Amino acid sequence: TRGLVGVSYAYEDLRDRTDNIYRANVGLDYTFYKTLAATVTYSFQKRNSDAFLSDFTENVFTVGVTGTF
């Protein structure tokens, strides 16, 4: 079993707008067979912008199975 956690911040000063971007993610990998692992992750992103209609919030859940050989 392996966990992951991440956070980041970005400031983008573009020609026609300025954005503040906040990101966070958490996840877990669980090996349930020698070559197979289940993965669950959650990612969050929020963009605050001074440009009209450019703000957004994004929530993404991912579930998967990976195999190695």
Side-chain angles (χ1 to χ4, degrees):
T1 303
R2 181 180 67 148
L4 67 95
V5 175
V7 293
S8 67
Y9 167 78
Y11 174 81
E12 294 182 353
D13 190 6
L14 306 170
R15 239 185 1 231
D16 58 343
R17 72 182 205 217
T18 302
D19 295 348
N20 292 289
I21 305 165
Y22 307 90
R23 294 183 181 105
N25 59 48
V26 294
L28 185 65
D29 292 342
Y30 174 72
T31 302
F32 60 90
Y33 188 69
K34 295 177 188 177
T35 59
L36 296 174
T39 304
V40 177
T41 59
Y42 167 71
S43 299
F44 169 83
Q45 178 174 267
K46 180 161 184 64
R47 179 183 301 260
N48 292 329
S49 180
D50 61 1
F52 183 65
L53 295 178
S54 293
D55 292 349
F56 72 84
T57 301
E58 178 180 68
N59 294 283
V60 178
F61 292 92
T62 306
V63 177
V65 175
T66 57
T68 58
F69 53 98

